[in-house]
Amino acid sequence: MFRTVQKILPGLMVCLVIAMSTSFLSENYGGPQLLYALLIGLSLHFLYLNETVKPGIDFSAKTVLRLGVAFLGIRITFADIGAIGLSTGLMVMLAVASTVALGFILAKFLKLSPDFGLIAGGSVGICGASAALAVASVLPKTKENEQFTLLVVVGVTVLSTIAMVTYPFLLQMMDIGALSAGIFLGATIHDVAQVVAAGMLFGPEAGDVATVVKLFRVALLLPVVLFISIFFGAQKSTAKLGWGSLRLIPTFLLGFVALSIVASMQILPGVVTQQIGGLSRWMLVIAIGAAGLKTNFQELAKLGWQPVLMLIVETVFIATIGFVFIYNA
């Protein structure tokens, strides 16, 4: 055990320093922390070539990532899910499912790997960078998948930032009410923090509604990743596809469910729940920093324009679903 810790500690510390740096940048200069982590990681790729830090970076990119996704469950309660209403809930489920399906279809149309479509669709449909990392973690571990995941993280963060600024302004121009605006913002913006920020730009009521709707989208991370794991995941080469492979459900998804149940039962003090949620965010920042360290930026650029087009089309698609819903509500 001690030797294992000793082996991974140098690389883990490198990733932790990157996470701390991004926290400072985000708090003092603004901007998305996950994007900072990725860019700093990419700029320090040469460190990954050092055998001393490589094991810890690999550990951060895989194990720390899965722990971070599992701890996301503490932010989801059954009360939050029930508070959004049946019609809104059905719209959100339709938007998420159809966006993931659209990603899969676009990948085939653009002659890309179906895995790429699932990662992009899950990222846009559910919760941005966190969903991209979660979906990628159950797909085959290939160099191309790792590179594409990082490109998705960059693209979806940029698009989410643009949406955070422009959506509230457009909604106000169209004289949309706070309730409808909150539903739209929560159902269409990719990153949780940016949903909250956009909602607050529109007003406190819109901010609360947007947050609840967004948390419901985050809750859909479980069934979506579970479905992808069973029918498209890394185990498909060693197990028969279908519901019989439920025994191969990734452990971190079970942790996600368990913590969601704990949050719903309210058996933990609020401060503990907040700390677990904060720990989840830190783990995801550490993981994306590690993923950046593992990636050569020149190789990332070789992926071409198709993934960017895919993300833009999916973003417009889910925004259209959200607008049609609030317009006809």
Side-chain angles (χ1 to χ4, degrees), residues 103-112 309:
F104 186 78
I105 294 169
L106 285 174
K108 290 201 169 187
F109 178 76
L110 295 171
K111 297 181 180 179
L112 299 172
L309 176 63

Side-chain angles (χ1 to χ4, degrees), residues 117-176:
L118 294 171
I119 294 169
S123 178
V124 173
I126 305 173
C127 54
S130 301
L133 295 170
V135 172
S137 70
V138 298
L139 291 172
K141 299 294 183 292
T142 65
K143 186 176 182 180
E144 291 76 16
N145 280 1
E146 289 184 352
Q147 292 174 345
F148 183 79
T149 301
L150 294 182
L151 184 62
V152 167
V153 169
V154 174
V156 82
T157 303
V158 171
L159 290 171
S160 189
T161 302
I162 294 172
M164 176 187 69
V165 175
T166 59
Y167 286 0
F169 177 72
L170 293 174
L171 290 169
Q172 287 177 341
M173 286 185 61
M174 292 184 288
D175 199 26
I176 301 295

